[in-house]
């Protein structure tokens, strides 16, 4: 199975004859079994991008292929689950009735509808609320109903637009576990959330959408790399010798800034510097994280 590939995607809105470009050439890929987080400021176009990929909106130019086919291929659509930012449906229906309707719409065989819906209600901890009207549901319960409908046909491609907004901690844990289960099943997952800590926990990789393009594409292992700044005693070292000892990083203002992957490497880095005869007067560490990427600091 192939994953999701988006190339040179552009999309502008045209309110009242004005042209407002939102996506200006977005490229991304998501492999089967990969959970990718999409972050970016409000209005960056995260919802627009997701809506284009699932086929809710038409992009202007560029291409979207899912498992090697166009995103409006019916078979691809059947294998795609989508939890929109807001679900608008008749709130007079009960949660169970809504899901049974969605099951029939998705083509679940008639004699399987009830069992499938009961499974999903149980999985989303909504069994008790099954007969309650949606108008009585909390925001978090509506989110979980949205998740349930998206999982109806065990999708290979799952798109979640802020799935944890409005959820209490238990709801957040539930969605986190669910994403892990879908990943284990081999689903490709794209997840848009403002909760950076949540993204860090569930995602293999994170995309930062800014000014209409993917400004950062980071494996989370790399995001967590450790930056070490070593301050040298002025006049105590030879620039060329220190540069060679730290693998080519030139000291600047009597400091050497280098990245290491593990904490164990911190001591190695410092001892290589000390080994040149340089005086070390300070060592500081900084872990690049999603927050600093979001703030544009790293
Ligand atoms: N239907 C629309 N018509 C005009 N502008 C829109 C429309 N939908 C969204 N926008 C604008 O497009 C930009 C991106 O919106 P959106 O994709 O919802 O961003 P995000 O999900 O990252 O917050 C925003 O500036 C928003 O105001
Ligand atoms: Mg949005």
């Amino acid at each position: 199975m192939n994953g999701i590939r988006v190339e040179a995607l552009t999309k502008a809105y045209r309110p009242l004859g004005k042209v407002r470009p939102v996506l200006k050439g977005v490229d991304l890929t998501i492999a089967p079994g990969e959970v990718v987080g999409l972050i970016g400021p409000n209005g960056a176009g995260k919802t627009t991008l997701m809506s284009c990929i699932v086929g809710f909106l038409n992009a202007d130019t560029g291409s979207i292929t899912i498992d090697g086919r166009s995103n409006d291929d019916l078979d691809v659509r059947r294998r795609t689950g989508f939890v929109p930012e807001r679900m608008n449906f008749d709130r007079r229906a009960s949660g169970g009735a809504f899901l049974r309707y969605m099951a029939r719409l998705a083509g679940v065989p008639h004699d399987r509808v009830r069992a499938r819906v009961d499974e999903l209600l149980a999985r989303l901890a909504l069994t008790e609320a099954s007969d309650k009207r949606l108008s009585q549901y909390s925001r978090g319960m509506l989110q979980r109903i949205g998740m349930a409908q998206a999982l109806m046909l065990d999708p290979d491609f799952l798109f979640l637009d802020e799935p944890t907004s409005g959820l209490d901690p238990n709801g957040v844990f539930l969605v986190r576990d669910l994403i892990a289960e879908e990943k284990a099943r081999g689903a490709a997952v794209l997840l848009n959330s403002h909760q950076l800590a949540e993204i860090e926990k569930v995602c293999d990789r994170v995309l930062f959408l800014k000014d209409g393009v993917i400004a950062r594409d980071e494996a989370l292992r790399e995001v967590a790399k450790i930056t070490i700044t070593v301050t040298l005693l002025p006049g105590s070292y030879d620039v060329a010798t220190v540069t060679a000892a730290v693998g080519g990083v030139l000291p600047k203002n009597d400091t050497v800034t280098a990245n290491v992957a593990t904490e164990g490497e911190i001591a190695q880095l410092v001892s290589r510097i000390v080994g040149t005869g340089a005086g070390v007067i300070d060592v500081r560490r900084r872990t690049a994280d999603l927050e600093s990427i979001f703030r544009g600091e790293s």
Side-chain angles (χ1 to χ4, degrees):
M1 187 171 78
N2 291 301
I4 298 157
R5 174 179 290 273
V6 172
E7 284 171 303
L9 202 75
T10 71
K11 169 81 184 170
Y13 290 107
R14 293 177 171 77
L16 307 168
K18 278 184 252 161
V19 180
R20 187 189 299 160
V22 175
L23 306 177
K24 303 177 185 168
V26 168
D27 297 294
L28 65 91
T29 59
I30 307 172
E34 193 179 28
V35 179
V36 174
L38 180 63
I39 63 174
N42 281 328
K46 303 178 295 295
T47 295
T48 302
L49 175 57
M50 216 176 254
S51 301
C52 287
I53 300 175
V54 300
F56 255 26
L57 288 177
N58 289 319
D60 296 333
T61 62
S63 82
I64 302 167
T65 52
I66 299 184
D67 196 12
R69 304 192 205 181
S70 158
N71 67 335
D72 50 36
D73 180 275
L74 266 186
D75 178 57
V76 159
R77 292 242 169 139
R78 227 171 264 126
R79 294 162 61 203
T80 298
F82 177 38
V83 183
E85 207 167 6
R86 269 177 290 278
M87 303 263 303
N88 282 315
F89 32 67
D90 193 333
R91 301 278 164 103
R92 288 171 300 187
S94 70
F98 167 70
L99 286 181
R100 288 190 290 275
Y101 172 79
M102 294 305 275
R104 288 191 292 271
L105 208 57
V108 173
H110 189 71
D111 58 348
R112 282 275 303 142
V113 166
R114 191 162 285 271
R116 181 58 179 149
V117 166
D118 288 349
E119 273 165 29
L120 289 166
L121 286 166
R123 200 166 166 207
L124 274 303
L126 288 167
T127 303
E128 308 266 280
S130 162
D131 295 329
K132 246 193 201 176
R133 287 172 183 232
L134 293 170
S135 56
Q136 313 284 312
Y137 276 34
S138 66
R139 175 108 201 271
M141 288 162 84
L142 288 170
Q143 286 282 14
R144 283 183 277 145
I145 276 283
M147 282 293 281
Q149 62 79 30
L151 296 174
M152 189 65 71
L153 299 180
D154 291 324
D156 293 325
F157 315 102
L158 186 58
F159 297 88
L160 311 171
D161 197 350
E162 305 205 24
T164 51
S165 67
L167 290 184
D168 63 16
N170 282 325
V172 173
F173 305 150
L174 191 135
V175 168
R176 191 190 298 164
D177 292 346
L178 228 138
I179 290 171
E181 286 161 28
E182 294 305 299
K183 171 185 166 68
R185 217 170 40 72
V189 183
L190 181 65
L191 161 77
N192 158 10
S193 173
H194 283 301
Q195 276 133 341
L196 299 184
E198 202 48 37
I199 292 266
E200 251 171 339
K201 286 203 181 75
V202 303
C203 294
D204 303 308
R205 190 153 56 88
V206 63
L207 306 174
F208 184 32
L209 181 64
K210 190 158 181 264
D211 301 328
V213 297
I214 301 296
R216 301 285 294 256
D217 178 344
E218 304 268 355
L220 283 179
R221 257 172 298 123
E222 287 167 26
V223 170
K225 75 188 167 201
I226 304 164
T227 302
I228 300 295
T229 302
V230 180
T231 307
L232 307 172
L233 181 67
S236 72
Y237 62 96
D238 175 63
V239 172
T241 318
V242 169
T243 304
V246 294
V249 183
L250 202 66
K252 225 166 60 184
N253 300 329
D254 300 316
T255 63
V256 174
T257 301
N259 291 318
V260 296
T262 63
E263 291 187 322
E265 290 172 38
I266 299 173
Q268 292 170 19
L269 179 79
V270 175
S271 69
R272 281 204 304 275
I273 295 172
V274 172
T276 68
V280 169
I281 55 175
D282 190 40
V283 178
R284 275 166 209 259
R285 65 179 284 179
R286 186 166 59 85
T287 306
D289 55 10
L290 283 184
E291 187 175 324
S292 56
I293 286 185
F294 203 92
R295 290 172 185 266
E297 292 168 354
S298 73

